[in-house]
Amino acid sequence: MFSRLTRPASTALRRGFATSSQNNAKVAVLGASGGIGQPLSLLLKNSPLISRLNLYDIAHTPGVAADLSHIETRAEVKGFLGPEQLPESLKGCEVVVIPAGVPRKPGMTRDDLFNTNATIVANLAAACAQHCPEAMICVIANPVNSTIPITSEVFKKHGVYNPNKIFGVTTLDIVRANTFVAELKGLDPARVNVPVIGGHAGKTIIPLISQCTPKVDFPQDQLTALTGRIQEAGTEVVKAKAGAGSATLSMAYAGARFVFSVLDAMNGKEGVIECSFVRSEETECPYFSTPLLFGKNGIEKNLGIGKISPFEEKMVAEAVSELKASIKKGEEFAKSMK
Ligand SMILES: NC(=O)c1ccc[n+]([C@@H]2O[C@H](COP(=O)([O-])OP(=O)(O)OC[C@H]3O[C@@H](n4cnc5c(N)ncnc54)[C@H](O)[C@@H]3O)[C@@H](O)[C@H]2O)c1
């Protein structure tokens, strides 16, 4: 059994800034000019794992690509602008990251983004299914609980669906949980690992503090408050930004951490584990996030929920109906599209 003690991803992020590697991945960022897309592209440009970085957006990519291309790292950067250049941006890509779509404003839930982002993600997923069907698809665009079912249905429609290669990026929930636990316990956040399971919205975000490494204990009132803060951390940022959007910098970090883990495993590194919202048989929800062992072809093994506390069991039970509804909404949307 693989130890949940391992935290390969943060090691991978640090390694992302190292100078030597044999790797040559071709990666596309769709929505590369946005609040997440720009800093994410910067972090990816810094990685020796990547030899080609394609930046696609409906605005500003010539400028973003010109700017990033002057950085003295090996990844060759190219900008692609507008739908007619989308196919070219995807050809030959092994990993595609999708932060395209509108972010939340104060008072909005992630589900309020559905009407705009569902179409954006469905169209981008269709282009991926046509032009890079073998790629690892990492969806950041919200509501993740619906955009992953949408992406999966689109890939099914094109006859190229591989559930081991379609990921909802929930890494920011893990990053936040690690940081908040470290703050409360006076630990180095780089050494804390809290698995976060379920989905990526409010009560569907289920931090497993009982599985934290190193082991930590909290009185119930503190545990309840900590859990609530992790679940609403996105809203904390939305409120602080006061209309200027949602988490971008921490999300760029989390997205880069996730991509580096995917690339590390593709390059043959063993024991790479990340939580992600994926097709799943671990619960009655057809999609669910749990720790996953990555391999050369995406998910190698779903490590499942593991042993959890009664408090966490209750959260899982309470998340199921909301998750199922968000999944169904995504599936029905994709099925109704021409
Ligand atoms: N998964 C997570 O944990 C997480 C965290 C934070 C934000 N998000 C989500 O990420 C998304 C992006 O957030 P942001 O702050 O970067 O938003 P933003 O508005 O700053 O950037 C979005 C970018 O997408 C581009 N875009 C719009 N339609 C497009 C299309 N059809 N094709 C390509 N590009 C398109 C826009 O031009 C813009 O550059 C939002 O949906 C947000 O809710 C997810």
Side-chain angles (χ1 to χ4, degrees), residues 58 122 169 171 224 299 316:
I58 51 169
V169 181
T171 321
T224 305
I299 302 171
V316 172

Side-chain angles (χ1 to χ4, degrees), residues 13 43 59 76 83 97 117 149 165 168 210 228 251 254 264 277 289 305 317:
L13 192 65
L43 293 171
E76 190 193 337
V97 201
N117 289 355
K165 291 187 169 184
S210 71
M251 182 59 239
D264 271 339
F277 187 69
S289 177
I305 295 176

